[in-house]
Amino acid sequence: MRLLCSWMCRAHCHRVIKLSGTLQVLAPEKELVENVHGVRRTFLSVGETLRQKLQNGKDKKVNDIFGPKASPAVYFIGKMLWSKGIGSLMELVKYAEESAGLMIDVDMYGYGPDAEEAASKASRMNLTMKFHGPIDHAALAETHKIFINPSTSEVLCTTVAEALAMGKFAIVPSHPSNDFFAQFPNCLPYASKEEFVALLYFALTHSPEPLTDDYLRALSWEAATERFEAAGSISTAEAEALSSVLSAPEAGVEISLPPLIEDERRRKKVTRTLKKTRLRFRQFRSRLSQEVQESKVLPKDLQHRVVSELDKKLDIDLDTVLASPKLRLKLSAAELDKQLLELYNKVSQSPSGDVLRVVGGGTDVGKQNLYLRRQAMRGRKLTQSRTFVDGGEVYEEDGAAGLVRLSLKRNFPQRGAERTDMALSHRKSGSNVRRKGLDMCLHAPIATPFDPFLKPCSVKLK
């Protein structure tokens, strides 16, 4: 799958913009890391209001929450999943209590499949964690001073951006997903448990720094759009140079593959065995080459060709190949993409294509494709034309109407056309003569219903 994604990016993308460095590298010559995400205006307005109140210093309610001597007001907001780091949060809070005596209450906002299990674990660890369920983040504007988000599974955490925009402290792990936020004065990244405790103590004993207009604008969608435009801009010279490189005949792609043998001892053992085998094979080729040269049976030109082939050597470093193999494809990215899609179409449309669809998309995808194929086959059977041979003449007719016309022609060879025209005209007018005439002319032993207005009739085909 990584190889497929790499080919798609190289063949069809001029620029690959990644929100953070957590994403895998697909086309390094086209990639750029830039945060092109913003927060809604509500959070920025909260940050502006808080800045004015902090600078004024006379608002008692704000001082009780955001002041240096305020009671600890810590929270987490996000989906209740272990992968979001809630287990790590519990361990960090417990460590802060045991190592530094920092007793804090943590309000947990959000819902998820692991919420009940997380509440049970917090109770067993004697932590004061209250699980409140989901809530709009903006509703916590004036209730908490410190936001903790220990998750390292994010690409770019939106809740961190929202908390910083509202002027709160944000304690986050030192991780590529948080690199953009590290520039803000109220973002406190930690790399160890000890740093977490120190930063938590700092946040508890200080007021958040009021955000300047530049910092607030950096979190807005306007600034995110400008960053997106700058990141996506490609100069004419760069585009032409890239196009010439990709379209060159010698263009190729080198892809690093995982080690063929990860265990070093086993790898060396295999390498020694292969080296011995290669040495013995070379000795055999050398002796065979000498015998061919001394032979007087083979023609001279054939003798020279055989000797030249036997003297060829394949110089490769077996240790490097087994430890870090590389796949070098001497094709342009666009040509690779074309051939890859052709291969996929051939495989997916073959009888074994259902296996590929089940592996890639699950049993439901395989069943859905099988259902669609059966429906298409049923439709073709209903609409396909039938070919009949009668007395050396070939007739191609569709459906029941064709069988009726053929029966009329076979049973009334002299006046078949007139009878057929009469039957068809009566059918349009709804006359009862149509039914009587058809009942008289159709007399073969196989019963087949041709029309909802006709009685079951039969046709004998020769």
Side-chain angles (χ1 to χ4, degrees):
M1 183 55 68
R2 181 180 177 183
L3 186 61
L4 288 173
C5 294
S6 177
W7 277 341
M8 293 299 105
C9 291
R10 290 175 184 271
H12 298 294
C13 298
H14 291 87
R15 178 79 76 208
V16 179
I17 303 175
K18 303 194 295 186
L19 287 176
S20 70
T22 59
L23 298 173
Q24 61 182 339
V25 177
L26 298 174
E29 72 279 3
K30 299 182 177 183
E31 291 182 356
L32 189 67
V33 177
E34 186 63 80
N35 175 20
V36 294
H37 199 284
V39 299
R40 69 178 192 259
R41 185 62 197 173
T42 304
F43 299 104
L44 301 176
S45 301
V46 170
E48 292 174 353
T49 304
L50 180 62
R51 177 181 63 184
Q52 296 173 0
K53 292 181 179 179
L54 287 175
Q55 290 174 346
N56 187 16
K58 297 181 180 180
D59 194 312
K60 183 177 182 303
K61 184 178 179 181
V62 171
N63 291 331
D64 290 343
I65 299 297
F66 295 93
K69 298 181 180 180
S71 301
V74 183
Y75 75 101
F76 166 86
I77 186 170
K79 196 167 186 178
M80 292 299 160
L81 292 171
W82 294 117
S83 59
K84 295 294 183 180
I86 53 179
S88 176
L89 174 60
M90 296 177 186
E91 295 175 359
L92 291 171
V93 172
K94 190 66 175 179
Y95 182 78
E97 292 182 0
E98 296 175 348
S99 62
L102 298 178
M103 309 297 293
I104 59 173
D105 298 346
V106 182
D107 292 317
M108 308 289 287
Y109 295 96
Y111 186 74
D114 298 330
E116 294 182 1
E117 189 177 352
S120 177
K121 182 177 180 180
S123 178
R124 292 195 303 269
M125 295 177 67
N126 295 323
L127 297 175
T128 308
M129 283 188 172
K130 298 179 182 179
F131 290 78
H132 301 279
I135 192 175
D136 184 4
H137 199 177
L140 307 177
E142 299 180 356
T143 58
H144 297 80
K145 179 172 73 169
I146 304 171
F147 170 61
I148 302 178
N149 179 36
S151 175
T152 57
S153 63
E154 311 286 347
V155 176
L156 186 78
C157 188
T158 308
T159 54
V160 175
E162 294 170 350
L164 291 173
M166 290 190 291
K168 302 178 184 294
F169 282 119
I171 303 178
V172 296
S174 182
H175 188 260
S177 61
N178 297 316
D179 286 347
F180 176 80
F181 305 124
Q183 62 180 306
F184 295 88
N186 294 330
C187 181
L188 308 177
Y190 63 90
S192 62
K193 295 189 294 184
E194 292 75 16
E195 288 187 11
F196 172 82
V197 175
L199 293 173
L200 178 61
Y201 179 78
F202 175 85
L204 291 173
T205 56
H206 291 76
S207 294
E209 183 176 332
L211 293 180
T212 62
D213 292 336
D214 291 337
Y215 282 129
L216 286 172
R217 191 177 187 284
L219 294 169
S220 67
W221 276 109
E222 291 79 7
T225 304
E226 292 176 0
R227 292 193 296 268
F228 178 74
E229 292 177 352
S233 300
I234 301 176
S235 63
T236 304
E238 182 183 357
E240 292 177 352
L242 185 60
S243 177
S244 62
V245 169
L246 293 177
S247 60
E250 65 275 6
V253 178
E254 186 175 270
I255 303 171
S256 297
L257 302 176
L260 298 178
I261 302 176
E262 303 211 352
D263 187 12
E264 186 176 357
R265 294 180 58 186
R266 187 169 167 234
R267 187 167 61 242
K268 289 183 178 179
K269 183 179 179 180
V270 172
T271 303
R272 285 196 302 268
T273 304
L274 291 175
K275 286 181 177 179
K276 290 180 180 179
T277 304
R278 290 181 64 193
L279 179 60
R280 292 169 184 168
F281 185 62
R282 284 183 177 179
Q283 292 174 352
F284 166 75
R285 289 165 62 98
S286 178
R287 289 196 299 269
L288 182 59
S289 177
Q290 293 177 2
E291 292 179 2
V292 170
Q293 292 177 8
E294 295 173 358
S295 173
K296 297 181 181 179
V297 177
L298 297 175
K300 288 296 182 181
D301 57 343
L302 180 59
Q303 184 179 10
H304 290 313
R305 287 168 56 190
V306 172
V307 170
S308 63
E309 291 295 328
L310 291 174
D311 290 341
K312 288 182 179 179
K313 295 181 180 180
L314 182 61
D315 294 324
I316 57 174
D317 188 351
L318 293 175
D319 294 325
T320 303
V321 171
L322 295 177
S324 56
K326 294 184 182 297
L327 178 63
R328 177 68 182 177
L329 302 173
K330 295 244 170 155
L331 287 172
S332 66
E335 185 64 24
L336 283 174
D337 178 35
K338 178 182 176 183
Q339 294 191 10
L340 180 65
L341 291 178
E342 289 178 354
L343 174 63
Y344 175 79
N345 289 333
K346 288 181 181 178
V347 174
S348 62
Q349 295 172 8
S350 65
S352 59
D354 286 334
V355 178
L356 179 64
R357 277 180 283 274
V358 170
V359 172
T363 308
D364 293 338
V365 175
K367 290 182 178 178
Q368 181 185 25
N369 182 72
L370 180 60
Y371 170 77
L372 294 176
R373 286 195 316 181
R374 287 178 175 174
Q375 290 294 103
M377 187 179 299
R378 187 177 291 111
R380 286 197 299 270
K381 288 182 177 180
L382 292 175
T383 58
Q384 67 183 0
S385 61
R386 296 178 174 86
T387 303
F388 306 100
V389 180
D390 183 28
E393 297 185 17
V394 179
Y395 304 93
E396 290 190 2
E397 300 290 350
D398 294 332
L403 293 176
V404 171
R405 296 191 189 98
L406 179 60
S407 300
L408 292 174
K409 185 172 182 61
R410 293 175 61 192
N411 286 277
F412 299 93
Q414 291 83 13
R415 300 164 59 188
E418 298 177 2
R419 302 258 179 158
T420 302
D421 295 338
M422 181 184 67
L424 293 177
S425 63
H426 282 229
R427 180 179 180 180
K428 292 180 181 179
S429 62
S431 174
N432 292 330
V433 178
R434 172 195 61 183
R435 181 173 299 178
K436 295 180 180 179
L438 291 177
D439 289 341
M440 291 170 59
C441 68
L442 301 176
H443 52 78
I446 302 176
T448 307
F450 293 109
D451 191 286
F453 300 99
L454 299 177
K455 294 180 180 180
C457 52
S458 56
V459 179
K460 182 178 181 181
L461 303 180
K462 293 182 180 180

